Amino acid sequence: MKRVGEICRKHNVYVVSDEIHCDLVREGYTHLSYLVANPQDSDRTIVCTAPCKTFNVTGLQVSNIFIPNPAIRLKFLHEIAGAGYSQLNMLGLVACKAAYAGGEEWLAECRNYLEGNLRFIKTFLAKKLPEIKLIEPEGTYFAWLDFSALGLSDRELDELILSKAGLWLDAGYIFGKGGSGFQRLAYSCTRATLTEALNRLFYAIHGKWDVAH
């Protein structure tokens, strides 16, 4: 991040840092805000966070936008006023306050459940689908899965996931050229749903159900 800061300063580039998953960091890792890493760039930096990913209140449309530069903040307020978002809805404000003031215990349980889901994915793949490699995340609730050992094109891999497995994942190539051969799996769900998804994947690859799960 410091190197990014150097490049942006050199070329007079402003930075909008999307840190919406900052609360969902796995044990052993620490979230470092772009603004903390580059405090000298506060006049050209906007940091975005929100309670929606952490506390599952996306539909309430509330977020936290940190803009240290008063002139940029004024421009931002003018733009959201023009878009009709000058006032947040009351439910969103109340939920945001309640989440940050009293949601610590819930968040701890949520992170623990997500960690259990990740361990389940790791174990399932190692035992039953070793051809799929898991790139372990440092945070959030997305598993980055490497399908390259199957030797499929991105189109063939999409066909496998969508038509044979009946799953809707995020194809790696939508994130850039380096994502070819990968799929992104969101594991922010119940263990039962995750088990169903992995067994569908097993069926799609091996042509049979894993009846021993």
Side-chain angles (χ1 to χ4, degrees):
M1 285 194 290
K2 288 184 177 295
R3 178 57 181 149
V4 170
E6 292 172 0
I7 295 171
C8 291
R9 284 192 296 276
K10 179 180 178 180
H11 298 281
N12 194 32
V13 172
Y14 286 72
V15 174
V16 178
S17 182
D18 180 358
E19 303 177 18
I20 197 169
H21 287 100
C22 65
D23 298 316
L24 298 173
V25 179
R26 296 179 63 205
E27 187 174 353
Y29 298 96
T30 303
H31 168 257
L32 179 66
S33 174
Y34 180 87
L35 197 53
V36 173
N38 297 284
Q40 67 272 45
D41 295 332
S42 61
D43 279 352
R44 62 177 70 247
T45 299
I46 297 173
V47 174
C48 305
T49 71
C52 59
K53 300 296 185 184
T54 307
F55 297 100
N56 195 26
V57 290
T58 304
L60 297 181
Q61 297 183 324
V62 59
S63 60
N64 317 300
I65 313 298
F66 300 94
I67 309 176
N69 187 319
I72 298 177
R73 190 185 317 127
L74 187 61
K75 289 181 179 180
F76 176 81
L77 291 173
H78 177 75
E79 289 299 322
I80 62 173
Y85 273 88
S86 58
Q87 299 296 325
L88 290 174
N89 67 80
M90 184 56 67
L91 288 176
L93 290 171
V94 172
C96 183
K97 181 178 179 180
Y100 287 130
E104 185 174 1
E105 182 179 355
W106 184 94
L107 178 57
E109 292 181 7
C110 177
R111 290 173 62 179
N112 184 60
Y113 195 91
L114 290 174
E115 188 66 25
N117 275 356
L118 184 61
R119 287 195 302 268
F120 181 80
I121 294 171
K122 186 176 181 178
T123 300
F124 190 101
L125 295 182
K127 290 183 176 180
K128 300 170 183 179
L129 289 171
E131 55 269 72
I132 301 175
K133 304 301 180 184
L134 169 67
I135 311 301
E136 287 200 42
E138 296 181 7
T140 79
Y141 41 73
F142 296 110
W144 192 240
L145 304 178
D146 182 358
F147 287 79
S148 58
L150 298 180
L152 302 175
S153 67
D154 285 327
R155 183 174 181 178
E156 291 170 332
L157 182 55
D158 279 347
E159 181 69 16
L160 175 79
I161 299 297
L162 291 168
S163 299
K164 293 192 68 176
L167 299 174
W168 188 278
L169 308 184
D170 293 313
Y173 59 80
I174 70 173
F175 301 103
K177 292 182 179 179
S180 181
F182 288 82
Q183 293 276 326
R184 190 178 75 165
L185 168 69
Y187 56 88
S188 51
C189 57
T190 65
R191 192 69 47 78
T193 298
L194 183 59
T195 301
E196 171 74 14
L198 292 176
N199 276 290
R200 283 175 174 239
L201 196 55
F202 182 90
Y203 172 80
I205 293 174
H206 293 285
K208 60 181 179 180
W209 291 103
D210 172 38
V211 295
H213 65 273

